[in-house]
Amino acid sequence: SGPKGSGRFTPVSWDEALDDIARRLRKIAARDPQAILPYSYAGTMGLVQGESMDRRFFHRLGASQLARTICATAGAEGLTYTLGGKVGMKTQFFAESKLILIWGGNSIASNLHFWRLAQQAKRAGARLVCIDPRRTETAEKCHEHLQLRPGTDAALASAIAHEWIANDQVDKGFLDEYCVGYDDATMPEELRGQGKSYVDYITGKGADKTAKTPEWASAITLVPAATIETLAREIAAAKPCAIYQGKGPQRRGNGEQTARAICMLAILTGNVGINGGNTGSDLDSYYMPADYGIPMPDNGVETSIGVFTWIDAVDRGTAMTATRDGVRGRDALAVPVKFIFNYGGNCLTNQHHDINRTHDILADESKCEFIVVWDTFLTDSAKYADILLPDLMAVEQPNIVQSEYAGNMAYTIAGTAITSPKFERRTLYSTLADIAERLGQRDEFTEGLDEMGWLERLYEQGREGDPDQPTFEAMLEQGIYRKQCPEGEHVAFKDFRDDPEANPLDTPSGKIEIYSQALEEKVADWELDDDQFISPLPVYCPESEGYADPLAEKYPLQLTGFHFKGRCHSSYGNIEVLKKANPGELWMNPLDAAERNLADGDTVQVFNDRGTVEIVVKVTPRIIPGTVAMGQGAWHDADMAGDKIDRGGCINTLTAYKPSPFAKANPSHTNLVEVVKA
Ligand SMILES: Nc1nc2c(c(=O)[nH]1)N[C@H]1C(S)=C(S)[C@@H](COP(=O)(O)OP(=O)(O)OC[C@H]3O[C@@H](n4cnc5c(=O)[nH]c(N)nc54)[C@H](O)[C@@H]3O)O[C@H]1N2
Ligand SMILES: Nc1nc2c(c(=O)[nH]1)N[C@H]1C(S)=C(S)[C@@H](COP(=O)(O)OP(=O)(O)OC[C@H]3O[C@@H](n4cnc5c(=O)[nH]c(N)nc54)[C@H](O)[C@@H]3O)O[C@H]1N2
Ligand SMILES: [Mo]
C-alpha cells in the first residue's frame, strides 16, 4: 500500500493477505500478545458479525482490550458515583408527567423511542421544554426552547437549585431519607461543619463563597435570570416532572460533572422513582431475557483503558498510567499497541478526535507497526490500513441480532443471506477461521461449526432463558421476534423509592450520593491539567476550551457538534441523494456572521490550531450567538500529503484529543474555533 492516509493499495489475493496477517500476528504475539488491539466498532452487529466473534478470536491470542463504550462514557461514569451502577438500567414511564425537560438531546433525529414517550405525555397535557444551544428538530416541537451557551448546563442547574432552596421548594423529606450530602445533617459525619455540602455550595457558604443565583448563572449561560426563575417555579409546581438528559451535555470536557448536575434537579424535587418522574438521566431499554453469550476464552489481560484513549496506547504506550490516563487494573499500561484490527468502524480517524494529529501518529510506523481495516466502504480510516479487507454487506450473510435501544419492546432479528457472495468479498467469521488455521487454532476457534452452526447453537442456548422464543427453524422463517417488557414501562428506581433498606443503590452508602466521598478518594492522587477539575459535589466547572478559556481570545467561537439526521455517524455519509437532502452546513448566528461579513450559503473556513474545515455556512438565529455547530460524521476529505484542508466538513478535523478529567472520555462537543470566508 501507499503511505498512510493516501488510500492507495496494491491488490493481493486472499491467501497472500491472510498469510501476511497470520505471520504478523505470530510475530507480535511471540513478543507480547497485548500489543494486539482489536478495535471493532458500531458499523455492524450480531452473533457472527459485529465484535463478538472477533473478540473470541483475539481473546484466545491474549490480545488487549478497551473498556466501556464511547456514546456516554463521561455521563455514565459520573453518574455511577451519584446514583450507582444501576443508572438507566430501566426504561421509564412518562405518561403521567406534567412537565418534561428534554435537556441536550435531539430525540427526533437520534432517539425516537424517547420521542414516542414524550409525545404520549404531550397528548395527555404535559408541557415540553427543550434545553439546547440549537433550535433542533426536537426543540421546534416543544412548547418552549431555552438556548444556553454550551458547556454551562451545570451553572443553569445550580441556579434553579438556588431558587428552590431560597424559596423552600426542595423535597426535604426525600433528601433526608434517600440522599447523602444535601446539607450538613446528611453529610458523612467527619465532613460536617466544613462548608462542604451541596446547600453550602449553592448558597455561597462553600469554598468559592459564591451564591449560585440566577444572575450569576445568567452571565455564564446567557439565559436571562428571569427565565431561570420562571423555569425553577415551573418545575417546582409540576408534580411529577421528568428530566430526560440526552448525550450532548456529557459529551464535553466537563461531562462527568454536568451529567450529575442535571440529575440534581430530579433529586432535589423528589422526582426519582415515581411514576412520571425519573432520575434526570438518559433512558435505557428492555432487553430479551435470552442470553446468547458467545463462549469467550480468558485472555489473561489485567489492564484495560478507556476506548477513547486507544491512540495514547499507540503513541505513549507504557507511559500511560492509572492516575494520569485512567488505566485500570495496573499502575501503568503493560505494552504499547503495535497491531490494530479495525473491523466495522471508522474510528481510526473520521470518528476519532484530532484527525491531523492521529494521522501523524499512525504515519510513524515505528509506533503502530501494522493495521488491518475491514469495511464495506473505502472510508477515511481504511486509508490507514496496511491490509484492507472487503466485507460482505450485512444482508449478504446469515446473522442473528438482538435489540439495541428499542425501548420497552425488545426484539431479535434473524436473517439468511439474500444473495450469494459477489466479487472477492468474504465474511468475518470464515476468514478468522482461516487465519486461526494458519496459527494452528482452527478447531479451537470454530469448534467444528460454520456460521449457521454457531447461530443455531447460540440461539438454542438463548431459548433456555426464554420459553416463548420460537425454534431456530421457525425463527429463520419468521425473521423477527419481539417481546414486550412484562411491566409495560418500568419506573426506574421504584424499588429503591418503595423500600430503600431492602433495595439500596450500589453506591457505597446505598443512597443517592450528592456528595461522593468515593469519587473524592479515587481522584485524590490523580494528575490533572490545570484547567481540569473533579469535585465530589456536582458543581459547575468551566471547560478546558470552553468560552472562558483564555484561548477564546484567539478562537472566539465555541464549536459544538451533534448526531446528524442525514447519517448514522459516518455511515451513509457517502450517499449522494442523502447528502443532497441533508447538506453539511455550519450553523452560525446572524450576529456572528455580520461581524465576519458572511452571508448564508458562503463557503467558509473553520479553523483552530489543529486544522481547517471548508464548509458552507447556514446563517440562522436557531443557534445561540458565540457558538457555531456542525453535524458529526461527514466524510473527511483532505490531501494529507498537501494542505490538509478538509473539504468534506468532518468535525473531527477540529476536535481536541483531550480526554475528560476522570472518565477519560471524548469531549467531542467542546472546541474553540474561528471562521473566515474561504
Ligand atoms: N466529533 C464527534 N465524534 C464522534 C461522536 C460525536 O458526537 N462527535 N460520536 C461518537 C459516537 S457516540 C460513536 S457511537 C462513534 C461511532 O463511530 P463508528 O462506529 O466508527 O461509526 P460509523 O462512522 O458509522 O462507522 C461504522 C463503519 O462500519 C462500516 N460497516 C457498516 N456495515 C458493515 C459491515 O457489514 N461490515 C463491515 N466490516 N463494516 C461495516 C461502515 O462502512 C463504517 O465505515 O463516533 C464517535 N465520534
Ligand atoms: N440520525 C442519527 N441518529 C443517531 C446517531 C446518528 O449518528 N444519526 N447516533 C446514535 C448514537 S451512537 C448516539 S450515541 C446517539 C446520540 O444522540 P444524542 O443524545 O442526541 O447526542 P448528541 O447529538 O451528541 O447531542 C444531542 C444534543 O445536544 C446538544 N448539545 C451539544 N452541546 C450541548 C451542551 O453543552 N448543552 C446542552 N444542553 N446541549 C448540548 C446538541 O446541539 C444536540 O442537539 O444518537 C444515536 N442516534
Ligand atoms: Mo454513540
Side-chain angles (χ1 to χ4, degrees):
S1 61
K4 289 266 154 72
S6 67
R8 289 201 301 275
F9 295 94
T10 316
V12 292
S13 70
W14 274 97
D15 271 340
E16 280 173 273
L18 301 191
D19 285 347
D20 196 14
I21 293 172
R23 192 169 50 78
R24 304 266 181 177
L25 281 174
R26 214 181 293 115
K27 204 173 112 200
I28 289 175
R31 257 163 36 210
D32 194 326
Q34 286 188 54
I36 301 167
L37 178 69
Y39 187 46
S40 315
Y41 240 89
T44 179
M45 51 207 270
L47 298 181
V48 293
Q49 285 193 65
E51 57 183 61
S52 326
M53 276 299 169
D54 94 49
R55 286 299 130 88
R56 179 175 154 79
F57 175 86
F58 283 104
H59 265 238
R60 187 172 300 285
L61 294 184
S64 64
Q65 61 201 11
L66 296 168
R68 298 162 284 184
T69 65
I70 195 133
C71 301
T73 313
E77 179 98 0
L79 286 175
T80 300
Y81 289 90
T82 306
L83 294 169
K86 285 192 216 159
V87 173
M89 289 314 288
K90 290 176 176 175
T91 60
Q92 183 73 43
F93 196 50
F94 291 111
E96 310 267 310
S97 310
K98 295 281 182 296
L99 173 67
I100 300 181
L101 302 192
I102 303 180
W103 199 313
N106 183 10
S107 60
I108 287 184
S110 62
N111 185 334
L112 277 171
H113 156 52
F114 170 72
W115 187 244
R116 177 180 64 80
L117 297 174
Q119 270 188 307
Q120 274 170 10
K122 190 178 173 191
R123 277 196 293 272
R127 195 174 144 74
L128 305 187
V129 177
C130 182
I131 301 177
D132 199 300
R134 295 184 305 131
R135 190 165 177 85
T136 59
E137 295 85 348
T138 308
E140 295 275 3
K141 299 268 190 260
C142 291
H143 297 98
E144 193 183 340
H145 173 213
L146 253 68
Q147 275 181 311
L148 88 173
R149 183 187 254 154
T152 65
D153 304 77
L156 176 59
S158 298
I160 294 171
H162 182 274
E163 288 308 280
W164 294 340
I165 292 168
N167 297 312
D168 207 11
Q169 286 167 316
V170 298
D171 186 338
K172 195 64 177 35
F174 179 78
L175 292 164
D176 286 344
E177 188 176 354
Y178 296 91
C179 305
V180 171
Y182 170 69
D183 51 13
D184 242 358
T186 51
M187 280 294 277
E189 233 175 280
E190 64 274 27
L191 295 173
R192 288 182 196 161
Q194 303 172 26
K196 285 187 162 180
S197 74
Y198 184 76
V199 168
D200 290 330
Y201 166 71
I202 297 292
T203 56
K205 299 197 186 83
D208 68 358
K209 299 278 174 267
T210 307
K212 307 303 173 305
T213 60
E215 291 73 25
W216 167 84
S218 180
I220 296 170
T221 59
L222 302 181
V223 179
T227 309
I228 299 175
E229 283 161 21
T230 309
L231 182 64
R233 268 198 304 277
E234 241 189 281
I235 302 175
K239 298 258 182 289
C241 168
I243 301 172
Y244 163 72
Q245 187 177 158
K247 296 184 177 73
Q250 64 80 48
R251 211 188 291 289
R252 308 194 61 91
N254 57 6
E256 297 98 335
Q257 292 290 117
T258 302
R260 296 166 69 214
I262 295 172
C263 284
M264 278 312 298
L265 301 186
I267 295 166
L268 291 167
T269 46
N271 273 301
V272 178
I274 60 170
N275 208 341
N278 76 337
T279 60
S281 67
D282 206 344
L283 298 182
D284 201 1
S285 294
Y286 170 66
Y287 293 97
M288 284 287 182
D291 175 13
Y292 298 140
I294 292 177
M296 248 352 129
D298 179 11
N299 63 355
V301 176
E302 35 180 9
T303 51
S304 72
I305 56 170
V307 64
F308 180 60
T309 61
W310 69 275
I311 190 69
D312 262 341
V314 173
D315 188 32
R316 294 172 44 236
T318 52
M320 284 181 85
T321 67
T323 53
R324 158 101 221 150
D325 306 289
V327 172
R328 296 182 169 202
R330 228 169 149 271
D331 290 345
L333 197 66
V335 244
V337 164
K338 294 289 177 189
F339 182 116
I340 297 174
F341 183 89
N342 177 219
Y343 170 80
N346 198 359
C347 265
L348 292 182
T349 54
N350 213 92
Q351 295 307 108
H352 187 65
H353 290 202
D354 201 347
I355 291 177
N356 291 329
R357 174 180 181 270
T358 307
H359 169 87
D360 292 342
I361 295 169
L362 295 182
D364 178 353
E365 294 186 5
S366 71
K367 288 186 170 152
C368 185
E369 295 167 12
F370 205 69
I371 299 176
V372 177
V373 173
W374 198 333
D375 207 291
T376 42
F377 289 93
L378 182 58
T379 61
D380 198 65
S381 296
K383 295 178 183 166
Y384 291 81
D386 290 284
I387 289 202
L388 174 59
L389 300 174
D391 200 2
L392 288 168
M393 301 295 239
V395 292
E396 295 174 297
Q397 38 186 321
N399 203 1
I400 292 181
V401 173
Q402 260 187 313
S403 52
E404 280 242 317
Y405 311 120
N408 63 348
M409 181 70 85
Y411 62 86
T412 299
I413 294 176
T416 48
I418 56 164
T419 64
S420 57
K422 301 291 183 315
F423 313 108
E424 291 180 80
R425 297 168 303 134
R426 294 188 51 173
T427 64
L428 175 75
Y429 178 75
S430 66
T431 311
L432 286 178
D434 284 355
I435 301 173
E437 168 142 1
R438 286 163 167 81
L439 300 174
Q441 300 185 354
R442 177 184 275 277
D443 293 343
E444 290 91 330
F445 176 63
T446 65
E447 298 184 25
L449 298 173
D450 63 5
E451 275 135 341
M452 286 304 277
W454 272 107
L455 291 180
E456 179 162 7
R457 182 206 276 188
L458 296 171
Y459 181 86
E460 288 298 338
Q461 162 195 318
R463 226 152 65 84
E464 285 164 22
D466 178 11
D468 298 340
Q469 200 172 281
T471 64
F472 182 62
E473 262 145 61
M475 189 61 202
L476 288 184
E477 191 63 33
Q478 78 187 53
I480 184 160
Y481 164 62
R482 296 190 293 181
K483 197 175 183 93
Q484 168 97 29
C485 168
E487 300 159 51
E489 307 272 2
H490 275 287
V491 172
F493 284 52
K494 183 172 186 309
D495 52 353
F496 169 66
R497 184 71 186 248
D498 290 347
D499 188 346
E501 300 288 320
N503 308 301
L505 303 184
D506 54 5
T507 54
S509 62
K511 295 186 174 188
I512 295 174
E513 300 205 346
I514 298 172
Y515 188 99
S516 169
Q517 236 175 333
L519 180 55
E520 190 172 31
E521 282 162 17
K522 176 178 170 174
V523 299
D525 56 351
W526 277 32
E527 300 160 57
L528 296 176
D529 290 346
D530 290 345
D531 58 3
Q532 290 193 313
F533 189 64
I534 305 172
S535 166
L537 282 178
V539 306
Y540 167 66
C541 56
E543 300 171 292
S544 158
E545 269 200 50
Y547 79 97
D549 191 312
L551 187 66
E553 279 173 32
K554 188 171 173 197
Y555 298 118
L557 293 167
Q558 285 185 273
L559 167 68
T560 186
F562 54 92
H563 288 232
F564 192 46
K565 62 183 175 187
R567 296 183 289 268
C568 187
H569 312 297
S570 75
S571 292
Y572 315 117
N574 55 334
I575 313 274
E576 287 306 325
V577 61
L578 287 178
K579 283 208 280 196
K580 284 228 169 76
N582 308 281
E585 292 164 325
L586 179 80
W587 293 35
M588 181 186 269
N589 188 278
L591 294 173
D592 296 315
E595 245 177 65
R596 291 166 179 78
N597 258 323
L598 299 173
D600 188 51
D602 280 352
T603 299
V604 295
Q605 289 197 338
V606 190
F607 65 98
N608 56 23
D609 286 344
R610 294 179 286 270
T612 302
V613 161
E614 232 168 67
I615 191 168
V616 166
V617 67
K618 160 184 170 135
V619 178
T620 169
R622 286 173 59 181
I623 180 123
I624 191 164
T627 296
V628 289
M630 61 170 92
Q632 64 99 353
W635 281 41
H636 176 248
D637 178 15
D639 175 4
M640 296 308 281
D643 65 11
K644 293 192 177 164
I645 293 175
D646 170 18
R647 296 180 169 84
C650 178
I651 192 172
N652 283 323
T653 299
L654 301 162
T655 50
Y657 179 74
K658 172 139 183 159
S660 69
F662 75 92
K664 303 300 169 193
N666 42 325
S668 306
H669 295 346
T670 306
N671 314 280
L672 289 174
V673 295
E674 179 54 291
V675 178
V676 294
K677 203 178 236 165

